[in-house]
Amino acid sequence: MDEKNTQAYEDSQIQVLKGLEAVRLRPGMYIGSTSSKGLHHLIYEIVDNSIDEALAGFCKQINVILNENGSVTVEDDGRGVPAGIHPDMGLPTLEVIFTVLHAGGKFGGGGYRIAGGLHGVGASVVNALSKRMEVRNFRDGHEYSIAFEFGNVVEPFKVVGPTDKHGLTVTFFPDDKIFETVEFDKEIIRTRLREQAFLNAGVCLTLLDKRAGAESAEPEVFCYEGGIKSFVEYINSKKAAELLHNDVIYFNGSKGTSFAEIAMQYNDTYNETILSFANNMHTVDGGTHEVGFKTALTKVFNDYAKKYNILKGDEKLTGEDVREGLTAIISVKLEDAQFESQTKAKLGNSDIRVLVENIVSEKLEIYLEENPATAKVILEKALQAARAREAAKKARELTRRKGLLESAALPSKLADCNERRVEFTELYMVEGDSAGGTAKDGRDSQFQAVLPLRGKILNVEKSRLDKIYASSQITPIILALGTGIGDEFDITKLRYGKIIIMADADVDGEHIKTLLLTFFFRHMRPLIENGHVYAAMPPLYKITKGKQERYAFSDEERDKYIQELGGNVTVSRYKGLGEMTKDQLWETTMDPARRVLKRITITDALEAEAMFTILMGDKVEPRREFIQENAKYVTDIDV
Ligand code: 1YM
């Protein structure tokens, strides 16, 4: 290099380092967080680049390998990356892609970046956050390589030799100084790769776990010619619910550079599962594409029902009525996607609302005319939902008139606390009147409230809203929490910061916990999503020796204490909360300084959705199958 070029090279190097330094200083700004979530985003960013190559029509196969040494390899069979020197930067293009923030996209020419992880910042961010990254580029008969450490080139770009392969292979070791954990969770990656395979029909993704203890030496393959139609089939099959019609209904259409596709199928549950995506990114908070879909759906079904005199008098179907039992995927691809909301997971482009609404309005109407039998079963279900909704409204008004649902009127069984600032308060929901009494006596009434629950609550998975409003066990819960349910749910009205389910550590206790969680999951889901719901952990054993006492929460802990106390101890098994005195209950389960609480979270919403349907739904066979398959994991059955 001559002097001028050397200078230019150094300048561009400095620019590059400044950029990547910013990423290492504030990783959260580029990948959302440095938790396990952020760690997994590293894989998505690299895979997204391969998916872009697939959508450009050059790549069919994308392999993800979890290596034994903790690194991850992503390889694709695309074109590979241009092998020359980048004109603006004076650096090899391969180096630029992995060292310059926001590189890629346009400068290969044409098209727009479709795939986009949470932040869509690309390969250079992954490089900056890796303690080592190795890239092998196969293009035009040559293999090239380059390697980096903490984003800096350590093995410069070079030609390795001839090859007949094409594509790009990236291996990276996440930096354990940056991430809270560098342990990849196969389940999380699997879910993501499967989702991407559904969203990009015909693109094959594989996942191979080479780490110690992996259950299989064979890669898992995710490849769906049916695209989002297969996605809908998959979700419904996981629910093991009965289908109302056999075929998945599918529409697509485009306008300008925007493309939208919709797949839908009804099952016989009372729940809706609508997942929407924009540029392959899950829009958890919905947005214009979802609004367009819902508007058209309601309109088309009402028009059809009116045309064929299916509705009586002034009966009308609401959006909720026509979505009962619906599983649908809406996927749009567009230039300049605008995202709103705190989580950036809500699509804002208004022309997309019009596009989706037009497609569904026109094509669903035709579909219903051509498939009258399907139209009939769906409308019958929607009508039943409408009638249950009317009944629920009456039940709700009735309880309101009695003053029951007013916030002033609290359930008679509730022992409230004095503290008014919600974030400092706790509500213990306690199984059984007797344990409820002990909890009332043992609590700190300054900030702890107690609501005793008698017996099993209604299984809401098998009930529509009318039954829920009529339930004498559930209305006190709704009243005590203050938020209302379903459509009326309002988290700002929540009366307690922590909602703690306290049940016996036995089968009945687990059942009550599950019934309550089903209710929260179906009708107050933001309570769980915002981390308000907990399970109390009462001890299983008390170990005494003379004046010394220990409480054990597991068999291992019990054995540890027996050893610590030097044997010759008395071990008593707590059969239920009711066996404890108020002081014992306070010490072991209610005192914030000593208790253990389990926070209830939703890691995989689809998985949770399927689990509630299988475990709590009205089909016995899928539940039996699940129990038979999983019984081997149960080590200790308490009866
Ligand atoms: C394992 C990760 O990144 N594959 C990949 C990336 C690129 C291309 C192909 C590509 C794109 C274009 C032209 C284009 C990228 N190229 C660039 C750049 N796999 C992975 N496969 N030729 C090849 O966009 O026109 C950025 S990413 F900058 F060269 F265009």
Side-chain angles (χ1 to χ4, degrees), residues 450-518:
V450 172
L451 180 68
L453 305 169
R454 197 187 309 134
K456 304 267 165 86
I457 72 158
L458 179 75
N459 179 1
V460 300
E461 193 69 30
K462 298 184 196 173
S463 325
R464 283 196 172 106
L465 274 181
D466 50 340
K467 272 215 212 151
I468 293 171
Y469 279 116
S471 157
S472 63
Q473 306 144 306
I474 292 196
T475 40
I477 301 174
I478 305 176
L479 293 175
L481 294 179
T483 56
I485 60 172
D487 258 5
E488 299 193 321
F489 181 88
D490 180 357
I491 198 147
T492 64
K493 298 211 173 117
L494 181 62
R495 301 186 60 252
Y496 305 96
K498 288 195 173 77
I499 297 146
I500 303 166
I501 305 172
M502 183 156 75
D504 289 337
D506 61 12
V507 170
D508 275 342
E510 287 303 323
H511 191 199
I512 285 166
K513 220 186 291 175
T514 314
L515 288 164
L516 278 169
L517 290 178
T518 308

Coordinates of all heavy atoms in Angstrom, one line a residue, residues 450-518:
V450 N -55.5 -11.3 52.8 CA -55.7 -12.7 52.6 C -57.1 -13.0 52.1 O -58.1 -12.4 52.6 CB -55.6 -13.5 54.0 CG1 -56.0 -14.9 53.9 CG2 -54.1 -13.4 54.5
L451 N -57.2 -13.8 51.0 CA -58.5 -14.2 50.5 C -58.5 -15.7 50.5 O -57.9 -16.4 49.8 CB -58.6 -13.7 49.1 CG -60.0 -14.1 48.4 CD1 -61.1 -13.4 49.0 CD2 -59.9 -13.8 46.9
P452 N -59.3 -16.3 51.4 CA -59.5 -17.8 51.5 C -60.3 -18.2 50.3 O -61.3 -17.5 49.9 CB -60.2 -18.0 52.8 CG -60.4 -16.7 53.5 CD -60.2 -15.6 52.4
L453 N -60.0 -19.4 49.7 CA -60.8 -19.9 48.6 C -61.3 -21.3 49.1 O -60.6 -22.1 49.6 CB -59.9 -20.2 47.4 CG -59.1 -19.0 46.9 CD1 -58.1 -19.5 45.8 CD2 -60.0 -18.0 46.3
R454 N -62.6 -21.4 49.0 CA -63.1 -22.7 49.4 C -63.2 -23.7 48.2 O -63.9 -23.4 47.2 CB -64.5 -22.5 50.1 CG -64.8 -23.8 50.9 CD -66.2 -23.9 51.5 NE -66.6 -22.7 52.2 CZ -67.7 -22.1 52.1 NH1 -68.6 -22.6 51.2 NH2 -68.0 -21.1 52.8
G455 N -62.5 -24.8 48.4 CA -62.6 -25.9 47.4 C -62.0 -25.5 46.0 O -61.3 -24.5 45.9
K456 N -62.4 -26.3 45.0 CA -61.9 -26.0 43.7 C -62.6 -24.9 43.0 O -63.8 -24.9 43.0 CB -62.0 -27.4 42.9 CG -61.3 -28.6 43.5 CD -59.9 -28.8 43.0 CE -59.2 -29.7 43.9 NZ -59.3 -31.1 43.6
I457 N -61.9 -24.1 42.3 CA -62.6 -23.1 41.5 C -63.0 -23.6 40.1 O -62.5 -24.7 39.7 CB -61.8 -21.7 41.3 CG1 -60.6 -21.9 40.4 CG2 -61.3 -21.2 42.7 CD1 -60.2 -20.6 39.8
L458 N -63.9 -22.9 39.5 CA -64.4 -23.3 38.2 C -63.2 -23.5 37.2 O -62.3 -22.7 37.2 CB -65.3 -22.2 37.7 CG -65.9 -22.4 36.3 CD1 -67.1 -23.4 36.4 CD2 -66.5 -21.0 35.9
N459 N -63.2 -24.5 36.4 CA -62.2 -24.7 35.3 C -62.7 -23.8 34.1 O -63.6 -24.2 33.3 CB -62.1 -26.1 34.9 CG -61.1 -26.3 33.7 OD1 -60.5 -25.3 33.3 ND2 -61.0 -27.5 33.3
V460 N -62.0 -22.6 34.0 CA -62.5 -21.7 33.0 C -62.2 -22.1 31.5 O -62.7 -21.6 30.6 CB -61.9 -20.3 33.2 CG1 -62.3 -19.7 34.6 CG2 -60.4 -20.3 33.0
E461 N -61.3 -23.1 31.4 CA -61.0 -23.6 30.1 C -62.2 -24.2 29.4 O -62.4 -24.2 28.2 CB -59.9 -24.6 30.2 CG -59.2 -25.0 28.9 CD -58.4 -23.9 28.2 OE1 -57.9 -23.1 29.0 OE2 -58.3 -23.8 27.0
K462 N -63.1 -24.7 30.3 CA -64.3 -25.4 29.7 C -65.6 -24.5 29.8 O -66.7 -24.9 29.7 CB -64.6 -26.7 30.5 CG -63.5 -27.7 30.4 CD -63.9 -29.0 31.1 CE -62.7 -29.9 31.3 NZ -63.0 -31.0 32.1
S463 N -65.4 -23.2 30.2 CA -66.5 -22.3 30.4 C -66.4 -21.0 29.6 O -65.4 -20.5 29.5 CB -66.6 -22.0 31.9 OG -66.2 -23.0 32.7
R464 N -67.6 -20.6 29.1 CA -67.6 -19.2 28.5 C -67.9 -18.2 29.6 O -68.2 -18.6 30.8 CB -68.8 -19.2 27.5 CG -68.4 -19.9 26.2 CD -69.4 -19.4 25.1 NE -69.0 -19.9 23.8 CZ -69.7 -20.9 23.2 NH1 -70.6 -21.6 23.8 NH2 -69.3 -21.3 21.9
L465 N -67.8 -16.9 29.2 CA -67.9 -15.8 30.2 C -69.1 -15.8 31.1 O -69.0 -15.5 32.3 CB -67.8 -14.5 29.5 CG -66.4 -14.0 29.2 CD1 -66.5 -12.6 28.5 CD2 -65.6 -13.8 30.5
D466 N -70.3 -16.3 30.5 CA -71.5 -16.2 31.3 C -71.3 -17.1 32.6 O -71.7 -16.6 33.7 CB -72.7 -16.7 30.5 CG -72.4 -18.0 29.8 OD1 -71.3 -18.4 29.6 OD2 -73.4 -18.7 29.4
K467 N -70.7 -18.2 32.4 CA -70.6 -19.1 33.6 C -69.6 -18.5 34.6 O -69.7 -18.7 35.8 CB -70.0 -20.5 33.2 CG -71.1 -21.5 32.8 CD -70.6 -22.9 33.2 CE -71.1 -23.9 32.3 NZ -70.1 -25.1 32.2
I468 N -68.5 -17.8 34.0 CA -67.5 -17.3 34.9 C -68.1 -16.2 35.8 O -67.9 -16.1 37.0 CB -66.3 -16.8 34.0 CG1 -65.7 -17.9 33.4 CG2 -65.4 -15.9 34.9 CD1 -64.6 -17.6 32.3
Y469 N -68.9 -15.3 35.2 CA -69.5 -14.2 36.0 C -70.5 -14.8 37.0 O -70.8 -14.2 38.0 CB -70.2 -13.2 35.0 CG -69.3 -12.2 34.4 CD1 -69.1 -12.2 33.1 CD2 -68.6 -11.3 35.3 CE1 -68.2 -11.3 32.5 CE2 -67.7 -10.4 34.7 CZ -67.6 -10.4 33.3 OH -66.7 -9.5 32.8
A470 N -71.1 -16.0 36.7 CA -72.0 -16.5 37.6 C -71.4 -17.3 38.7 O -72.0 -17.8 39.7 CB -73.0 -17.4 36.9
S471 N -70.0 -17.5 38.7 CA -69.4 -18.4 39.7 C -69.1 -17.7 41.0 O -68.5 -16.7 41.1 CB -68.0 -18.9 39.1 OG -67.2 -19.2 40.1
S472 N -69.6 -18.3 42.0 CA -69.5 -17.7 43.4 C -68.0 -17.8 43.9 O -67.7 -17.2 44.9 CB -70.4 -18.4 44.4 OG -70.1 -19.7 44.5
Q473 N -67.2 -18.7 43.3 CA -65.8 -18.7 43.7 C -65.0 -17.7 43.0 O -64.0 -17.2 43.5 CB -65.2 -20.1 43.4 CG -66.0 -21.2 44.0 CD -65.9 -22.4 43.1 OE1 -66.2 -22.3 41.9 NE2 -65.5 -23.6 43.6
I474 N -65.3 -17.4 41.7 CA -64.5 -16.5 40.9 C -64.8 -15.1 41.1 O -63.9 -14.2 41.1 CB -64.6 -16.9 39.4 CG1 -63.9 -18.3 39.3 CG2 -63.8 -15.9 38.5 CD1 -63.5 -18.7 37.9
T475 N -66.1 -14.7 41.3 CA -66.3 -13.3 41.4 C -65.6 -12.6 42.6 O -65.1 -11.5 42.4 CB -67.9 -13.0 41.5 OG1 -68.5 -14.0 42.3 CG2 -68.5 -12.9 40.2
P476 N -65.4 -13.3 43.8 CA -64.6 -12.7 44.8 C -63.2 -12.4 44.4 O -62.6 -11.4 44.8 CB -64.6 -13.7 46.0 CG -65.8 -14.6 45.7 CD -66.0 -14.6 44.2
I477 N -62.6 -13.3 43.5 CA -61.2 -13.0 43.1 C -61.2 -11.8 42.2 O -60.3 -10.9 42.3 CB -60.7 -14.3 42.3 CG1 -60.8 -15.5 43.1 CG2 -59.3 -14.0 41.7 CD1 -60.4 -16.8 42.4
I478 N -62.2 -11.7 41.3 CA -62.2 -10.5 40.4 C -62.4 -9.2 41.2 O -61.7 -8.2 41.0 CB -63.4 -10.6 39.4 CG1 -63.3 -11.9 38.6 CG2 -63.4 -9.4 38.4 CD1 -64.4 -12.2 37.6
L479 N -63.3 -9.3 42.2 CA -63.5 -8.1 43.1 C -62.3 -7.7 43.9 O -61.9 -6.6 43.9 CB -64.6 -8.4 44.1 CG -66.0 -8.6 43.5 CD1 -67.0 -9.0 44.5 CD2 -66.5 -7.3 42.8
A480 N -61.6 -8.7 44.5 CA -60.5 -8.5 45.3 C -59.3 -7.8 44.5 O -58.7 -6.9 44.9 CB -60.0 -9.7 46.0
L481 N -59.1 -8.3 43.2 CA -58.0 -7.8 42.4 C -58.4 -6.5 41.8 O -57.5 -5.7 41.5 CB -57.7 -8.8 41.3 CG -57.1 -10.1 41.8 CD1 -56.8 -11.1 40.7 CD2 -55.8 -9.9 42.6
G482 N -59.6 -6.2 41.5 CA -60.1 -4.9 41.1 C -60.0 -4.6 39.6 O -60.4 -3.6 39.2
T483 N -59.3 -5.5 38.8 CA -59.0 -5.1 37.4 C -60.1 -5.4 36.5 O -60.1 -4.9 35.3 CB -57.8 -6.0 37.0 OG1 -58.2 -7.4 37.2 CG2 -56.5 -5.7 37.8
G484 N -61.1 -6.2 36.8 CA -62.0 -6.7 35.8 C -61.4 -7.8 35.0 O -60.2 -8.1 35.1
I485 N -62.1 -8.4 34.0 CA -61.5 -9.4 33.2 C -61.8 -9.2 31.7 O -62.7 -8.4 31.4 CB -62.0 -10.9 33.6 CG1 -63.6 -11.0 33.4 CG2 -61.6 -11.2 35.0 CD1 -64.1 -12.4 33.6
G486 N -61.1 -9.9 30.9 CA -61.3 -10.0 29.5 C -61.2 -8.6 28.9 O -60.2 -7.8 29.1
D487 N -62.2 -8.2 28.1 CA -62.3 -6.9 27.5 C -62.2 -5.7 28.4 O -61.6 -4.7 28.1 CB -63.7 -6.7 26.8 CG -63.6 -7.0 25.3 OD1 -62.5 -7.4 24.9 OD2 -64.6 -6.8 24.7
E488 N -62.7 -5.9 29.6 CA -62.8 -4.8 30.6 C -61.5 -4.7 31.5 O -61.4 -3.8 32.3 CB -63.9 -5.0 31.6 CG -65.3 -5.0 30.9 CD -66.4 -4.9 31.9 OE1 -66.3 -5.6 33.0 OE2 -67.4 -4.2 31.6
F489 N -60.6 -5.7 31.3 CA -59.4 -5.8 32.1 C -58.6 -4.5 32.1 O -58.4 -3.9 31.0 CB -58.5 -6.9 31.7 CG -57.2 -7.1 32.5 CD1 -57.3 -7.8 33.7 CD2 -56.1 -6.4 32.2 CE1 -56.1 -7.9 34.5 CE2 -54.9 -6.5 33.0 CZ -55.0 -7.3 34.2
D490 N -58.3 -4.0 33.3 CA -57.5 -2.7 33.4 C -56.5 -2.8 34.5 O -56.8 -2.8 35.7 CB -58.5 -1.6 33.6 CG -57.8 -0.2 33.7 OD1 -56.5 -0.2 33.6 OD2 -58.5 0.8 33.9
I491 N -55.2 -2.9 34.1 CA -54.2 -3.2 35.1 C -54.0 -2.1 36.0 O -53.5 -2.2 37.1 CB -52.9 -3.7 34.4 CG1 -52.0 -4.4 35.4 CG2 -52.1 -2.5 33.8 CD1 -51.1 -5.5 34.8
T492 N -54.4 -0.9 35.6 CA -54.1 0.3 36.5 C -55.1 0.2 37.7 O -54.9 0.9 38.7 CB -54.4 1.6 35.7 OG1 -55.8 1.7 35.4 CG2 -53.5 1.8 34.5
K493 N -56.1 -0.6 37.6 CA -57.0 -0.8 38.8 C -56.6 -1.9 39.7 O -57.2 -2.2 40.7 CB -58.4 -1.1 38.2 CG -59.0 0.0 37.4 CD -60.5 0.1 37.5 CE -61.1 1.3 36.8 NZ -62.0 0.9 35.7
L494 N -55.4 -2.5 39.4 CA -55.0 -3.6 40.2 C -54.8 -3.2 41.7 O -54.2 -2.1 41.9 CB -53.7 -4.2 39.7 CG -53.0 -5.4 40.4 CD1 -54.0 -6.6 40.4 CD2 -51.7 -5.7 39.8
R495 N -55.2 -4.0 42.7 CA -55.2 -3.5 44.1 C -54.0 -4.0 44.8 O -53.8 -3.6 46.0 CB -56.5 -3.9 44.8 CG -57.8 -3.3 44.1 CD -59.1 -3.5 44.8 NE -59.0 -3.0 46.2 CZ -58.9 -3.7 47.3 NH1 -58.9 -5.0 47.2 NH2 -58.9 -3.1 48.4
Y496 N -53.3 -5.0 44.3 CA -52.1 -5.5 45.0 C -50.9 -5.7 44.0 O -51.1 -6.1 42.9 CB -52.4 -6.9 45.6 CG -53.6 -6.9 46.5 CD1 -54.9 -7.2 46.0 CD2 -53.5 -6.4 47.8 CE1 -56.0 -7.2 46.8 CE2 -54.7 -6.4 48.6 CZ -55.9 -6.7 48.1 OH -57.0 -6.7 48.9
G497 N -49.7 -5.5 44.6 CA -48.5 -5.6 43.7 C -48.1 -7.1 43.5 O -47.7 -7.5 42.4
K498 N -48.3 -7.9 44.5 CA -48.0 -9.3 44.4 C -49.3 -10.1 44.7 O -50.0 -9.9 45.7 CB -46.9 -9.7 45.4 CG -45.5 -9.3 45.1 CD -44.5 -10.0 46.0 CE -43.1 -9.7 45.6 NZ -42.7 -8.4 46.2
I499 N -49.5 -11.1 43.8 CA -50.7 -12.0 44.0 C -50.1 -13.4 44.3 O -49.4 -13.9 43.4 CB -51.6 -12.0 42.8 CG1 -52.2 -10.6 42.6 CG2 -52.7 -13.0 43.0 CD1 -52.4 -10.2 41.2
I500 N -50.2 -13.9 45.5 CA -49.5 -15.1 45.8 C -50.5 -16.2 46.1 O -51.3 -16.1 46.9 CB -48.7 -14.8 47.1 CG1 -47.7 -13.6 46.9 CG2 -47.9 -16.0 47.5 CD1 -47.1 -13.0 48.1
I501 N -50.3 -17.3 45.3 CA -51.2 -18.4 45.5 C -50.5 -19.3 46.5 O -49.4 -19.7 46.4 CB -51.3 -19.2 44.1 CG1 -51.8 -18.3 43.0 CG2 -52.2 -20.4 44.3 CD1 -51.8 -18.9 41.6
M502 N -51.3 -19.6 47.6 CA -50.7 -20.5 48.6 C -51.6 -21.7 48.7 O -52.7 -21.6 49.2 CB -50.6 -19.7 49.9 CG -50.0 -20.5 51.1 SD -49.3 -19.5 52.3 CE -50.7 -18.9 53.2
A503 N -51.1 -22.8 48.3 CA -51.8 -24.1 48.4 C -51.0 -25.1 49.0 O -49.7 -25.0 49.0 CB -52.3 -24.4 46.9
D504 N -51.6 -26.2 49.4 CA -50.8 -27.3 50.0 C -49.9 -27.9 49.0 O -50.2 -27.9 47.8 CB -51.8 -28.4 50.4 CG -52.6 -28.0 51.7 OD1 -52.1 -27.1 52.4 OD2 -53.7 -28.6 51.9
A505 N -48.8 -28.5 49.5 CA -47.9 -29.2 48.6 C -48.3 -30.6 48.3 O -47.6 -31.6 48.5 CB -46.5 -29.2 49.2
D506 N -49.5 -30.8 47.8 CA -50.0 -32.1 47.4 C -50.8 -32.0 46.1 O -50.9 -30.9 45.5 CB -50.8 -32.7 48.5 CG -52.1 -31.9 48.8 OD1 -52.4 -31.0 48.0 OD2 -52.7 -32.1 49.9
V507 N -51.4 -33.1 45.7 CA -52.0 -33.1 44.4 C -53.2 -32.2 44.3 O -53.4 -31.4 43.3 CB -52.5 -34.6 44.1 CG1 -53.4 -34.6 42.8 CG2 -51.3 -35.5 43.8
D508 N -54.0 -32.1 45.4 CA -55.1 -31.2 45.4 C -54.6 -29.7 45.3 O -55.2 -28.9 44.6 CB -55.9 -31.3 46.7 CG -57.0 -32.5 46.5 OD1 -57.2 -32.8 45.4 OD2 -57.4 -33.0 47.6
G509 N -53.6 -29.4 46.1 CA -53.0 -28.1 46.1 C -52.5 -27.7 44.7 O -52.8 -26.6 44.2
E510 N -51.9 -28.7 44.0 CA -51.4 -28.4 42.6 C -52.6 -28.2 41.7 O -52.5 -27.3 40.8 CB -50.6 -29.6 42.1 CG -49.2 -29.8 42.7 CD -48.3 -28.6 42.5 OE1 -48.4 -27.9 41.5 OE2 -47.6 -28.3 43.5
H511 N -53.6 -28.9 41.9 CA -54.8 -28.8 41.1 C -55.4 -27.3 41.2 O -55.7 -26.7 40.2 CB -55.9 -29.8 41.4 CG -57.0 -29.9 40.4 ND1 -58.2 -30.5 40.7 CD2 -57.1 -29.4 39.2 CE1 -59.0 -30.3 39.6 NE2 -58.3 -29.7 38.7
I512 N -55.5 -26.9 42.5 CA -56.1 -25.6 42.7 C -55.2 -24.5 42.1 O -55.7 -23.6 41.5 CB -56.3 -25.4 44.3 CG1 -57.5 -26.2 44.7 CG2 -56.4 -23.9 44.6 CD1 -57.6 -26.4 46.2
K513 N -53.9 -24.7 42.3 CA -52.9 -23.7 41.7 C -53.1 -23.7 40.1 O -53.2 -22.6 39.5 CB -51.5 -24.2 42.0 CG -50.6 -23.1 42.3 CD -49.1 -23.5 42.4 CE -48.8 -24.4 43.7 NZ -47.5 -24.9 43.7
T514 N -53.3 -24.9 39.5 CA -53.5 -24.9 38.1 C -54.8 -24.3 37.6 O -54.8 -23.5 36.6 CB -53.4 -26.4 37.6 OG1 -52.3 -27.0 38.3 CG2 -53.3 -26.5 36.1
L515 N -55.8 -24.5 38.4 CA -57.1 -23.9 38.1 C -57.0 -22.3 38.1 O -57.5 -21.6 37.3 CB -58.2 -24.4 39.0 CG -58.6 -25.8 38.8 CD1 -59.4 -26.3 40.0 CD2 -59.5 -26.0 37.5
L516 N -56.3 -21.9 39.2 CA -56.2 -20.4 39.3 C -55.3 -19.8 38.2 O -55.6 -18.8 37.6 CB -55.5 -20.1 40.7 CG -56.5 -20.0 41.8 CD1 -55.7 -19.9 43.1 CD2 -57.4 -18.8 41.7
L517 N -54.2 -20.6 37.8 CA -53.4 -20.1 36.8 C -54.1 -20.1 35.4 O -53.9 -19.2 34.6 CB -52.1 -20.9 36.7 CG -51.1 -20.7 37.9 CD1 -49.9 -21.6 37.7 CD2 -50.7 -19.3 38.0
T518 N -54.9 -21.1 35.2 CA -55.7 -21.1 34.0 C -56.6 -19.9 33.9 O -56.7 -19.2 32.9 CB -56.6 -22.4 34.0 OG1 -55.8 -23.5 34.2 CG2 -57.3 -22.5 32.6

